[in-house]
Amino acid sequence: MGMFDEIWYEREKYQTKDTPEQTLDTYEIRGNELWWKKTEYEWAEDKESMFGGYMQEVSHEWIFCDRFDGVIDFYRENKEEDNKWIEWHALFNNGKMIKLERKE
C-alpha cells in the first residue's frame, strides 16, 4: 500500500496511483487536459500539533502536464450506492486526454 494523488474531474474528487509521482499531489482534468498543482510549503510551528507543527501551503501554481503520456485510472466511492465505486480509465498523449472509459 502506498500513497496516492487526488485528481479532480467534473467537480468531483477521485484517487489515483497512476500519476507520475504519487506524493499526495493534486491534479485536475480540465476539458481534455491534465494539470498539476505545484505547491510550495513551509513548516508552521504549532505546539498543539502531534509533531509540534505542520506543513502549511504558502503558494501554488497550476502546470499543464504536456509531457505526460500514459493511462490514469481514477476512482471514488459512489455516494448513491453503498460499497460501490465509480472508476474511470483515461489515456493521455502529451497531457491531452485522447480516450476516456467508465469502468464497470
Side-chain angles (χ1 to χ4, degrees):
M1 189 166 189
M3 292 188 287
F4 59 86
D5 290 331
E6 66 181 32
I7 188 165
W8 287 85
Y9 175 64
E10 295 184 340
R11 291 187 237 152
E12 294 282 349
K13 182 170 65 170
Y14 294 83
Q15 295 178 1
T16 184
K17 290 189 175 186
D18 295 331
T19 47
E21 300 293 329
Q22 292 92 50
T23 55
L24 304 174
D25 277 338
T26 300
Y27 290 81
E28 183 176 354
I29 299 173
R30 298 179 185 171
N32 71 334
E33 295 180 338
L34 182 63
W35 290 78
W36 168 57
K37 182 181 179 185
K38 180 181 178 186
T39 307
E40 298 291 327
Y41 297 94
E42 67 180 22
W43 182 254
E45 297 287 334
D46 181 356
K47 293 178 184 176
E48 302 297 316
S49 175
M50 179 176 13
F51 300 109
Y54 57 92
M55 298 301 291
Q56 180 175 9
E57 180 179 328
V58 293
S59 67
H60 71 266
E61 66 177 310
W62 285 96
I63 298 174
F64 175 53
C65 301
D66 62 342
R67 294 184 181 201
F68 180 75
D69 295 327
V71 171
I72 297 179
D73 290 322
F74 52 101
Y75 44 89
R76 70 171 173 85
E77 184 178 9
N78 186 340
K79 298 169 187 145
E80 289 79 39
E81 297 181 48
D82 289 339
N83 299 318
K84 298 281 185 173
W85 291 87
I86 296 173
E87 299 183 54
W88 294 95
H89 179 83
L91 176 62
F92 290 87
N93 183 21
N94 295 325
K96 296 211 182 245
M97 186 168 53
I98 58 175
K99 186 175 182 181
L100 178 67
E101 296 176 342
R102 176 132 180 219
K103 296 172 76 174
E104 297 299 324

